[in-house]
Amino acid sequence: MDWREWIERIASIPAPAGGEAARAQAISRIIETVANEIASDAMGNLIVRRRGTRPEKLMLSAHLDQPGIIITFAEPDGMLRFSALGKAEPLALINTEMVFGEVRGVVAAPAGIALDSIKCSDLMLDISASDREEAVRLLPPGSAGCPAGILRRRGSRVMAPAVGTSVCAALLCGLAERKPLYDTYFVFTAQSGLGARGAKTAAFAIEPDFCVEIAPAAESSAFHRGDGVGIQVSNRCALSHPRMVRALADAAAKAGQRVQLLAAQPAASDLFMMQSAGSGAFAAGISLPVAHLDTVAECADLRDAEAAEQALCALLDMEIG
Amino acid sequence: MMEQLRELSLCRGISGDEDEIAALIERLAAPYADRIERDSVGNLCVYKKGKSSEKKLLVAAHMDEVGLLVSYITPEGLLRFQPVGGIDPRVILGRRVLVGPTGIPGVIGTKPIHLSTEEERRTAPGVERLYIDIGAMREEEARRYVCEGDTASFDSDFVLFGDGMIKGKALDNRVGCAAALTALQCTPAFDTVFAFTVEEEVGLRGAYAVAYRERPDFAIVVDTTTAADVDGIAPHERACRLGEGAVLFFMENSTLYRKEDYRWVEQTAQKNGISYQFKDYIAGGLDAGAIQRTAAGIPTVSIATPCRYLHSPSCVVKQSDAEATEALLCAMVADGTWTERKAE
């Protein structure tokens, strides 16, 4: 089946940090037919192995989790207080519908609050509970949820909350169908939005030689949808290794794809955890340009994902020099 | 517990300079330990055989405390310093401290008010405007007693007051150490390492090494946590409350706990009739952040005693909360059902 068809399935399963199990299970079902080994670990990562003909290990990561909120406290009137789980901006959350399994609610801001200094702790989730008891019964503290929203498609464009993450995960599932040259680990990482926490333990267990993170990045004046495969040269906490950047650029060229290089991305990343695991690995990142990143209306273009797929397919076939 | 806690609170052990507190804990643990080791970064590991050796449990309590580090000695013999760990400079002006290995008494000073500018009077001084005065008149005299790199701890009495309250320095985390020392006296369900970790206050640094070396099947962190149950704070920002029992965690800044893990802690508290509360505001970090993500990942839970004025010379905890934390830790160590946790 075409990996593009899996985007909607993945996006339809909310996956706040710590609550990735359902999405991991769905991905596991998609990918199990081609896997040599499938494992999950204490952090909630899904680790899928496909043996190649060469013994060196290649680790490809995509995130499982998306930004969300975690319930912390119930007010006497049944309104719930919460904290951000990952990059959930308080301003973007106001009046957003949130989904917690069967329970849904809307984020409310107190009337008259100054929006320029608003914090998550100023906001409340209204789940229509009439008092504290009912609210806690429906959503006990520790419950995690995500913005609600169905995936919309127009031409090659897709829009949904955290759609970039879903596209990257689907793309990684698609890549797993290809027989790789190296011993390859397709890793769907948990708690990426809390500081790439899942990638740390996964990379420790795998001890990769080469790594590529596939993740969404914000569209900007220097990084556009439709302008070619995004290769991450650096971000806030890691520098890609030139050898791996070159390998990705070569792979893109082989696949006939243009390249755009990104530097100084603001996000913390799996990249750093993978390259610094064990005795170190050669790592770089593939970035998918996404508009309105980390909002309910995140928008990606499938042509970019297809370009990345072509480049990564070429990478799976080739020797990394 | 109180006598032991008094001794632990008064003992000095700034992050990176934990020998004194490690020696005290080693002495207190020795009668109940099968084996005691200090690792290369200074963690004190106390090993205790369990009923079964099939699994291994790690109990981690950090033994270091926040304090000051002498960074420069002025020609007048005053000591400039850097904070070690998160210290609010507003709460240390005028406080007594003990400096260096011999505990030279000193007091934290700043320039007199009549020489302060309008701006300086309006704002609390940061550490750059503070110094430690050990009564020396010149640099050479000061150097006879202290040198750069010496640590200074708060000099603060251990006091029982009010409705079962305790005030002292370093209750973060000597309360947790006291609980771990009590738990050491029971027979654990599984072989257990009680690790008294170093350098928690400067980035969970000791815990990384312990977790990596021991690779336990499960870990319990016991600490104190900030309670903001005071006037002027909205109920949803109080985090936890004195008098409401041991604090359980579903999340703090360093760790997101797995539901099946913290539910097991809650069930253990319920089963044993121990009062508990969940921390209901996300703040602070615990050794759990280091342990959980060590190696291929270690399932980790945390419990804590609520503490007001954390990281100040006058931490305040309630005796009944400290006892609840201790009872809960003992129950968790003795009870091997953590092996039966099921994913929700």
Side-chain angles (χ1 to χ4, degrees), chain A residues 2 36 41 76 161 168 186 203 216 237 244 277 294 301 311:
Chain A
D2 190 325
N36 293 119
D41 67 9
C168 291
F186 302 85
C237 51
M244 207 59 212
D294 299 325
D301 196 315

Side-chain angles (χ1 to χ4, degrees), chain B residues 122-172:
Chain B
R122 265 204 308 273
T123 56
V127 290
E128 72 289 347
R129 278 157 59 191
L130 302 175
Y131 52 78
I132 302 170
D133 183 344
I134 56 165
M137 298 306 288
R138 287 183 314 280
E139 182 184 347
E140 309 81 74
E141 195 184 342
R143 283 196 183 282
R144 266 187 259 144
Y145 302 97
V146 296
C147 63
E148 292 91 342
D150 278 354
T151 59
S153 69
F154 299 127
D155 181 11
S156 176
D157 299 336
F158 183 87
V159 175
L160 303 180
F161 74 110
D163 181 14
M165 299 289 192
I166 306 164
K167 174 243 122 180
K169 77 158 183 73
L171 295 183
D172 173 15

Side-chain angles (χ1 to χ4, degrees), chain B residues 254-308:
Chain B
S254 69
T255 322
L256 180 57
Y257 298 87
R258 299 201 40 113
K259 201 170 270 177
E260 63 267 30
D261 295 345
Y262 69 75
R263 288 283 171 237
W264 173 77
V265 181
E266 185 179 27
Q267 284 154 13
T268 308
Q270 286 167 347
K271 216 161 61 181
N272 292 278
I274 296 162
S275 61
Y276 69 91
Q277 54 187 318
F278 273 98
K279 185 162 181 177
D280 54 22
Y281 189 81
I282 308 301
L286 302 172
D287 266 346
I291 297 167
Q292 183 194 45
R293 298 187 292 281
T294 290
I298 296 164
T300 305
V301 295
S302 293
I303 61 170
T305 302
C307 181
R308 288 183 189 162

Side-chain angles (χ1 to χ4, degrees), chain B residues 34-35 46-59 184 186-194 214-220 332-336 338-339:
Chain B
D34 292 318
R35 184 163 58 90
V46 179
Y47 297 85
K48 180 90 174 174
K49 269 255 167 262
K51 291 191 192 104
S52 160
S53 297
E54 255 171 60
K55 302 265 180 192
K56 189 200 250 187
L57 175 67
L58 169 68
V59 174
L184 179 65
C186 73
T187 306
F190 295 98
D191 290 357
T192 301
V193 191
F194 293 86
E214 298 296 339
R215 308 283 176 96
D217 297 291
F218 192 67
I220 302 169
M332 288 162 78
V333 170
D335 181 341
W338 53 263
T339 54

Side-chain angles (χ1 to χ4, degrees), chain B residues 97-120:
Chain B
V97 293
L98 297 171
V99 190
T102 55
I104 301 292
V107 65
I108 295 175
T110 191
K111 74 173 164 181
I113 187 144
H114 65 276
L115 298 177
S116 303
T117 64
E118 200 55 19
E119 170 67 21
E120 284 168 343

